[in-house]
Amino acid sequence: MKFTRSKKYFRAITCGLAISMMAALGLWSSIDTTATAAPSMTGSPFIYSNGNIQTGTMSESGVAAPTGTQWSELQHNTGNTTESNGTLGTSCSLTSTIFRCADDFTVPAGETWTVDQVVTFAYQTGFGGSTSPITAATLQIWNGRPGDSGASIIFGDTTTNRLATSTDALTYRIGGTVVPAPTAPGTTRKVWQTNITVNPAQVLGPGTYWVDFQTAVAANAAHFAPLATVVGSRTQPGWNARQWTGTAWTDALDSGNPASAPDVAVDFPFKLVGSIVTAPTTTSRADFNGDGKTDIAVYRPSDGNWYMKTGSGFTAVHWGISSDVPTPADYDGDGKADVAVFRATVADGAPDFYILNSSDSTLSGYAWGTTGDVPTVGDFDGDGKADVGVYRSSESNFYVLGSTSGMVITNVAGTTPVVGDYDGDGKADTITYTNGTWSGPLSGGGVMSGSLGAAGDLPVQGNFDGDSKTDIAVFRPSDGTWYILRSSDSQTAVFQFGATGDVPVVGDYDGDGKEDIAIYRGGTWWVNASTAGLSVTPFGLGSDKPAPASANP
């Protein structure tokens, strides 16, 4: 493929030059932004279970369940012989009153879940058929607790029948058989497992979500969802299910037996079918010694030297010439940022990126770009290694050379490339910023369309809230104000930290997993760390380029 008129093809040049040989290129050394490990995939059919319903093949009173099945018996707290659960099931059904049920799950930081199905459970008292009575199921997924201000539906509706299958759960729901008013176990409440399709499959980054479901049987008859059941306990910490009563969302509760027993919170058992991708474990940008903290480091164009304050040590590396653009990142995947520069040239075969691999002190050179391109480095294919890339504003194109995926060209209109992992899937996204508008495709699916900032603001994207997603943020040089839109709660934080002429240098300087606001002022670093607090460190000259400012999150 032709790249430019003079550079006919992209190509990589990798060699193991000794330091003495590199000096002729204005490059030599010993030393690396984002330290990562390769992603892993979990392929179990059930990626999440919100609780069990089965309590065993023998009732507490000593009666065996039918062969091949188990009981789901109401419980009492161990040692309490006077109070027990009293609610066999809760209506989540389409009847003369429209009931719905909801419960939550959390995608942990560093993971992305793809949800293909939601599995719920229900029984119809007295139903004796050999196939499920469930004829329909609807589903919604929320990004917050249903009924709360700000919570919104991100998938589904209340009318589309998404029933995939409904099968025998091999379980019978029964009352307590020992205390406080024993009942005899029976088989009138056969539990059915209902698989509800999520189409298109939902790709969910770190955060808390709620599933909201409803099932129906013939003639819209009453039926019920059994509650999550833990042997020896009426409830569990964190149980917080909700029910739509036809007019409002209310907390779902177990009423207790006898009536004087306290009500307790309940959960609905449900499962998720899909897959999990674990994002690469990311340390700080511009972390040259691999300790998980951004290092105070500068590139000095006047002499082509890098000066790094790594922990309690100091390192100087000659790597570059005065016109080079610093592009530090972990290109070799060893958990340390490599010193690297972008030297745009139109000459065929001549490298544009010069990278000193920290793992073995070899040179990697990439003929990737031309004069006028802006280097845009990031891990675009999620393999734990930074990939070279450029943004060509004249064409509105990102040109990326993935270390695993190969060449990818993405057309995104805009002024300034602002690469980052905005959806938390472990892959860098090709996003642009133009006078407060953030736009571009997300690697996990969908499109970013954000608004934060104004003409003259500097984009300073980073993971400020520690949720593994890059937050959109700007620094306003006119008054030294930071505006950060947190991805974790969609709230905008405003900080006054800096002044006209300061260079913003975002990074995780205290290694707590959250990036910190910081500025470089004429050779002095002012860091407002999220855990360690304020620090002021003299390091560098006014003409130096601070390394974290050149490193993508």
Side-chain angles (χ1 to χ4, degrees):
M1 169 185 171
K2 291 190 176 181
F3 183 40
T4 69
R5 291 195 184 110
S6 56
K7 270 192 183 176
K8 296 182 180 178
Y9 300 95
F10 287 123
R11 69 191 186 100
I13 307 163
T14 304
C15 54
L17 296 180
I19 288 175
S20 60
M21 295 176 66
M22 298 178 197
L25 296 174
L27 308 164
W28 73 270
S29 151
S30 54
I31 316 245
D32 164 14
T33 320
T34 312
T36 56
S40 62
M41 185 75 85
T42 301
S44 172
F46 294 123
I47 61 173
Y48 175 80
S49 175
N50 198 55
N52 184 46
I53 55 173
Q54 296 175 323
T55 56
T57 58
M58 194 73 68
S59 72
E60 191 174 4
S61 62
V63 177
T67 302
T69 69
Q70 293 193 54
W71 300 120
S72 175
E73 183 174 352
L74 291 183
Q75 295 297 301
H76 60 92
N77 292 331
T78 300
N80 186 335
T81 61
T82 61
E83 297 174 335
S84 70
N85 289 125
T87 304
L88 288 160
T90 298
S91 181
C92 311
S93 56
L94 176 62
T95 62
S96 57
T97 299
I98 299 174
F99 293 103
R100 302 188 68 83
C101 292
D103 214 331
D104 66 331
F105 65 95
T106 298
V107 179
E111 293 185 1
T112 299
W113 292 9
T114 299
V115 179
D116 301 305
Q117 289 186 339
V118 174
V119 178
T120 65
F121 299 87
Y123 65 85
Q124 184 180 13
T125 304
F127 178 78
S130 59
T131 59
S132 173
I134 304 297
T135 59
T138 62
L139 178 74
Q140 299 182 133
I141 300 178
W142 299 64
N143 63 3
R145 192 176 79 149
D148 284 359
S149 176
S152 60
I153 298 165
I154 61 175
F155 171 81
D157 54 59
T158 61
T159 58
T160 302
N161 183 5
R162 302 181 188 275
L163 176 65
T165 60
S166 187
T167 55
D168 191 344
L170 303 175
T171 303
Y172 292 96
R173 186 70 165 161
I174 60 174
T177 61
V178 173
V179 297
T183 62
T187 58
T188 60
R189 301 181 183 89
K190 175 185 280 290
V191 179
W192 302 90
Q193 171 182 302
T194 301
N195 289 48
I196 307 173
T197 298
V198 180
N199 186 19
Q202 293 299 291
V203 179
L204 305 176
T208 298
Y209 304 88
W210 287 71
V211 294
D212 153 21
F213 62 93
Q214 178 193 73
T215 52
V217 299
N220 291 339
H223 58 291
F224 306 92
L227 304 178
T229 307
V230 175
V231 174
S233 178
R234 290 191 61 202
T235 187
Q236 291 288 295
W239 281 6
N240 59 352
R242 307 212 88 193
Q243 182 192 39
W244 174 258
T245 62
T247 57
W249 284 102
T250 62
D251 293 334
L253 300 172
D254 177 278
S255 57
N257 181 25
S260 59
D263 294 348
V264 295
V266 299
D267 250 15
F268 293 115
F270 69 87
K271 297 181 180 182
L272 302 179
V273 177
S275 60
I276 297 176
V277 173
T278 302
T281 303
T282 304
T283 59
S284 304
R285 66 176 96 194
D287 175 16
F288 294 95
N289 63 343
D291 66 353
K293 300 179 181 180
T294 294
D295 295 317
I296 290 177
V298 298
Y299 173 66
R300 186 163 297 168
S302 61
D303 58 17
N305 286 334
W306 295 69
Y307 298 98
M308 290 159 284
K309 186 178 183 296
T310 52
S312 58
F314 170 80
T315 305
V317 178
H318 183 65
W319 194 260
I321 58 177
S322 61
S323 58
D324 288 346
V325 177
T327 56
D330 183 12
Y331 297 91
D332 55 8
D334 68 346
K336 300 177 182 179
D338 308 310
V339 295
V341 295
F342 178 70
R343 184 181 302 171
T345 175
V346 297
D348 271 354
D352 300 286
F353 284 89
Y354 292 89
I355 301 164
L356 179 63
N357 299 298
S358 55
S359 58
D360 57 10
S361 296
T362 60
L363 164 68
S364 292
Y366 293 89
W368 197 261
T370 191
T371 303
D373 289 348
V374 177
T376 54
V377 173
D379 184 5
F380 294 95
D381 51 16
D383 67 349
K385 298 179 182 180
D387 307 308
V388 298
V390 295
Y391 181 68
R392 186 168 300 168
S393 58
S394 61
E395 302 172 0
S396 297
N397 280 339
F398 283 90
Y399 293 90
V400 171
L401 180 60
S403 49
T404 298
S405 62
M407 182 173 66
V408 177
I409 303 173
T410 308
N411 184 262
V412 185
T415 301
T416 304
V418 283
V419 168
D421 184 8
Y422 295 89
D423 56 3
D425 68 348
K427 299 178 181 180
D429 305 308
T430 50
I431 307 298
T432 62
Y433 170 83
T434 307
N435 294 334
T437 298
W438 303 67
S439 61
L442 299 171
S443 54
V447 177
M448 167 174 280
S449 181
S451 179
L452 183 72
D457 289 349
L458 302 176
V460 287
Q461 71 275 18
N463 179 20
F464 295 95
D465 51 10
D467 67 350
S468 298
K469 296 181 181 179
T470 300
D471 306 311
I472 66 175
V474 296
F475 174 73
R476 186 159 295 166
S478 59
D479 57 12
T481 302
W482 296 68
Y483 297 86
I484 300 169
L485 179 58
R486 297 187 298 255
S487 56
S488 57
D489 60 9
S490 299
Q491 300 298 305
T492 301
V494 181
F495 302 94
Q496 207 294 317
F497 193 79
T500 302
D502 290 345
V503 178
V505 284
V506 174
D508 184 7
Y509 293 88
D510 53 8
D512 65 350
K514 299 178 181 179
E515 296 204 273
D516 310 308
I517 61 175
I519 56 99
Y520 180 72
R521 181 181 296 170
T524 300
W525 299 69
W526 298 71
V527 177
N528 188 11
S530 50
T531 298
L534 178 67
S535 64
V536 182
T537 305
F539 192 88
L541 303 176
S543 58
D544 290 346
K545 296 181 179 181
S550 302
N552 287 323

